[in-house]
Amino acid sequence: MAEVLRIERLEAGYGRFHVLFGVDLVVNAGEIVVLLGPNGAGKSTLLNSVVGMADVYSGRVVLMGRDITGKPPHEVTKFGVAYVMQSPNNFGTPNIFGELTVYENLVAASAGIPREEVPRRIEDVYGIFPKLRELRDRKAKFLSGGERQMLAIGMGLMKSPKLLLLDEPTAGLAPKLVSDFFIAIRDIRDKLGISILLVEQNARKALEIGDRAYVLVTGRIKYSGSAKALDEERLAELFLGH
Ligand SMILES: Nc1ncnc2c1ncn2[C@@H]1O[C@H](COP(=O)(O)OP(=O)(O)OP(=O)(O)O)[C@@H](O)[C@H]1O
Ligand SMILES: [Mg+2]
C-alpha cells in the first residue's frame, strides 16, 4: 500500500520546549488514521510538525516519498496537505474571511488552482456538506460554530489535497452534529479519496471510522495498531500510563 505520510523518529517542539520524543507514524493511501491522547500530549504539535509550524529537532517527515522535514506551511500545502487547525489555537483564528460569503470563502481558498476546476471542487465540497450549499450567500461572520467548522474543512478540500489533517473537528459541537461530522469525514475519504489523519477527543466515534490508531502520551507513541482493537478500557489504561 502506498504511503502518503511517513513520520520517522520525530523529535520536535517549540524553541527549547521539547514536546515529541521519537514519534513514528504512517498514513497509507486511503486510510483514516486516528490520533488520540490526553490534553497536552502533543497531538497538535505532531500536526504542526508536518506543516512546518513547530520546530523539528531531528527525525524525518516524508510526504509521498518527498522529504518535507521543516518545510514552511505554504510549501507543504503545495505538496498536497490541507490542515484544519484546532480552534481556538495558539496561531490565531483560521483563515476564514468574515465579510465574505461562504461561496466567496471557498473561491478564496481555491487560489492557485486552475479556474475551470473551481466549480467542480465547490460541488465536491457541497456534496460532503450539503448545508454549505444552503448557506452559500451567508457572510461567514454569521455562521454558527458547526457551520464555521464545515466551511474550514471545505476550504481545506478546495485544493484537492492528498492528505487532510483534522485537529479536533467536532470539539464543541452538539451531539447530533458530531455524528454528522463523522459521516462527512468518512465521505471525504470514500468519495474524494483523500487520506486523513484525525485528532479527536471523541475516541469511541473516531475509532469507529478509523482504520488504524495511534495513542500519544506525553510526547511518546504508546499504541499503534488497528482502531477496532482499541476498546475503552485499553484506552483508559494507556491514557493513565499503564
Ligand atoms: N505554539 C506553542 N509554543 C510553545 N508551546 C506550545 C505551543 N503549542 C503548544 N505548546 C505546548 O506543547 C505541549 C503540547 O501541546 P499540544 O497542543 O501539542 O497538545 P495536544 O495533545 O494537542 O493537547 P489538546 O488535547 O489540549 O489539544 C503543551 O505543553 C503546550 O503547552
Ligand atoms: Mg491539540
Side-chain angles (χ1 to χ4, degrees):
M1 204 187 301
E3 283 176 2
V4 174
L5 178 69
R6 162 172 286 274
I7 295 173
E8 277 175 2
R9 300 184 305 280
L10 184 73
E11 306 277 332
Y14 305 95
R16 289 166 58 188
F17 187 63
H18 200 142
V19 177
L20 298 174
F21 301 89
V23 169
D24 292 307
L25 180 146
V26 167
V27 178
N28 293 305
E31 273 188 325
I32 296 177
V33 173
V34 178
L35 177 60
L36 304 171
N39 293 120
K43 304 180 297 296
S44 299
T45 303
L46 185 54
L47 303 188
N48 288 343
S49 302
V50 172
V51 302
M53 292 173 65
D55 300 317
V56 174
Y57 312 133
S58 66
R60 291 204 314 154
V61 180
V62 180
L63 184 72
M64 293 174 292
R66 181 200 298 257
D67 191 329
I68 59 159
T69 315
K71 291 252 188 290
H74 65 274
E75 280 193 43
V76 178
T77 304
K78 260 192 275 172
F79 297 146
V81 179
Y83 183 19
V84 182
M85 294 178 69
Q86 185 173 3
S87 173
N89 59 64
N90 302 325
F91 298 88
T93 48
N95 214 4
I96 292 177
F97 305 102
E99 291 300 326
L100 298 185
T101 65
V102 165
Y103 174 81
E104 288 164 345
N105 268 286
L106 291 173
V107 173
S110 69
I113 66 168
R115 205 187 290 167
E116 62 275 13
E117 284 270 311
V118 174
R120 192 178 57 79
R121 297 205 186 172
I122 289 181
E123 280 306 312
D124 283 347
V125 172
Y126 291 163
I128 300 293
F129 295 113
K131 185 88 193 177
L132 289 181
R133 190 198 301 276
E134 293 170 32
L135 294 167
R136 56 166 284 154
D137 297 320
R138 176 109 17 120
K139 279 194 180 179
K141 66 180 177 186
F142 298 127
L143 297 179
S144 72
E147 292 162 355
R148 221 183 144 78
Q149 187 66 325
M150 290 176 204
L151 179 56
I153 298 173
M155 289 170 76
L157 296 177
M158 283 303 290
K159 290 203 162 66
S160 293
K162 294 284 182 288
L163 175 68
L164 178 62
L165 308 175
L166 291 175
D167 197 350
E168 302 200 17
T170 70
L173 303 187
K176 163 72 177 86
L177 197 55
V178 169
S179 302
D180 291 349
F181 262 77
F182 279 103
I183 292 169
I185 292 166
R186 192 157 47 187
D187 281 351
I188 290 170
R189 191 271 308 272
D190 291 350
K191 296 183 180 166
L192 304 180
I194 297 171
S195 310
I196 298 172
L197 178 54
L198 171 65
V199 173
E200 260 297 332
Q201 294 293 351
N202 198 330
R204 194 177 51 79
K205 283 212 162 76
L207 291 170
E208 276 171 22
I209 65 163
D211 299 298
R212 289 186 306 110
Y214 292 83
V215 177
L216 187 68
V217 181
T218 52
R220 292 180 170 84
I221 297 289
K222 297 293 182 187
Y223 174 90
S224 77
S226 144
K228 306 293 176 279
L230 253 190
D231 57 25
E232 256 160 86
E233 196 182 341
R234 180 82 188 99
L235 201 57
E237 288 172 359
L238 288 164
F239 273 41
L240 294 171
H242 298 300

